[in-house]
Amino acid sequence: EPEVTQTPSHQVTQMGQEVILRCVPISNHLYFYWYRQILGQKVEFLVSFYNNEISEKSEIFDDQFSVERPDGSNFTLKIRSTKLEDSAMYFCASSVPGTNEKLFFGSGTQLSVL
Amino acid sequence: RKEVEQDPGPFNVPEGATVAFNCTYSNSASQSFFWYRQDCRKEPKLLMSVYSSGNEDGRFTAQLNRASQYISLLIRDSKLSDSATYLCVVNKRGQGGKLIFGQGTELSVKP
């Protein structure tokens, strides 16, 4: 069964450093998303991406965040200057055109900012 | 008021029990409704969509009451493998994959 893959599974970084989280969505999917989950809290929407541009973003997704689809397969989330409060599990997801409410999630990248 | 509210849990039940989860949502513009399952520190996985007419998938039954803005999930004959956190999820008309998650209700099924 096709799946969304994310790398790395764990990322430890120092406050102020830049991190890039990587995702390979399911190949025929055209809508891509990033969500995050702080430990003990709910899953929160960050951003959606379609046709090489951001279609929607949340208040969390400020200027420190950016997304990119550098080639035909990867979808990345960059945090320019990490803060302690960025520590969370980051989930990438993708969906099929026409059923873009049914998301397939990757297994996540646990980001720890020290 | 939270956009999606769920029973706080945790629910501890014996195998074979029937357990019900409740959820309310605040935005009447919500269009689509789902139950997701999340195992500890893993990704959410779609359990089932929820339709106004109610829908059933094996031991799982979901109901939606738009007038009351209320969603439910019933699990019959619970198994040890049902132990997980159950997430009530909604999204608004025209907002596609921008899902709004509830806090989740933890279920622990004991032998």
Side-chain angles (χ1 to χ4, degrees), chain B residues 44-104:
Chain B
K45 291 186 178 176
L46 179 64
L47 183 65
M48 58 198 303
S49 302
V50 189
Y51 304 112
S52 296
S53 55
N55 46 304
E56 187 174 309
D57 182 3
R59 298 181 292 110
F60 299 83
T61 301
Q63 296 277 353
L64 167 65
N65 184 322
R66 286 186 184 272
S68 303
Q69 296 182 195
Y70 170 87
I71 307 161
S72 66
L73 175 69
L74 187 75
I75 305 176
R76 291 181 299 279
D77 187 23
S78 52
K79 313 289 185 193
L80 297 177
S81 57
D82 293 334
S83 297
T85 297
Y86 289 82
L87 309 175
C88 178
V89 183
V90 307
N91 88 326
K92 299 174 191 174
R93 189 170 292 112
Q95 292 194 343
K98 181 185 175 183
L99 303 180
I100 309 298
F101 284 79
Q103 182 81 15

Side-chain angles (χ1 to χ4, degrees), chain B residues 7-72:
Chain B
D7 288 344
F11 286 16
N12 296 300
V13 303
E15 268 187 294
T18 296
V19 60
F21 301 126
N22 302 314
C23 170
T24 56
Y25 60 95
S26 61
N27 193 322
S28 59
S30 299
Q31 179 182 27
S32 302
F33 310 91
F34 310 92
W35 285 100
Y36 275 74
R37 170 193 168 127
Q38 186 175 32
D39 292 282
C40 186
R41 301 304 287 162
K42 301 220 178 210
E43 74 273 23
K45 291 186 178 176
L46 179 64
L47 183 65
M48 58 198 303
S49 302
V50 189
Y51 304 112
S52 296
S53 55
N55 46 304
E56 187 174 309
D57 182 3
R59 298 181 292 110
F60 299 83
T61 301
Q63 296 277 353
L64 167 65
N65 184 322
R66 286 186 184 272
S68 303
Q69 296 182 195
Y70 170 87
I71 307 161
S72 66

Side-chain angles (χ1 to χ4, degrees), chain A residues 33 35 37-45 48 56-58 88-89 91 95 100-108 110, chain B residues 2-4 31-32 34 36 38 41-46 49 51 87 91-92 94-103:
Chain A
Y33 313 88
Y35 283 77
Q37 187 175 30
I38 295 170
L39 184 64
Q41 298 187 24
K42 64 180 182 178
V43 177
E44 299 175 292
F45 169 81
S48 58
E56 188 156 4
K57 59 183 180 179
S58 72
M89 180 74 88
F91 294 109
S95 62
N100 59 326
E101 301 164 339
K102 294 187 178 178
L103 272 56
F104 293 80
F105 284 84
S107 57
Q110 176 64 54
Chain B
K2 294 179 184 176
E3 288 194 80
V4 180
Q31 179 182 27
S32 302
F34 310 92
Y36 275 74
Q38 186 175 32
R41 301 304 287 162
K42 301 220 178 210
E43 74 273 23
K45 291 186 178 176
L46 179 64
S49 302
Y51 304 112
L87 309 175
N91 88 326
K92 299 174 191 174
Q95 292 194 343
K98 181 185 175 183
L99 303 180
I100 309 298
F101 284 79
Q103 182 81 15

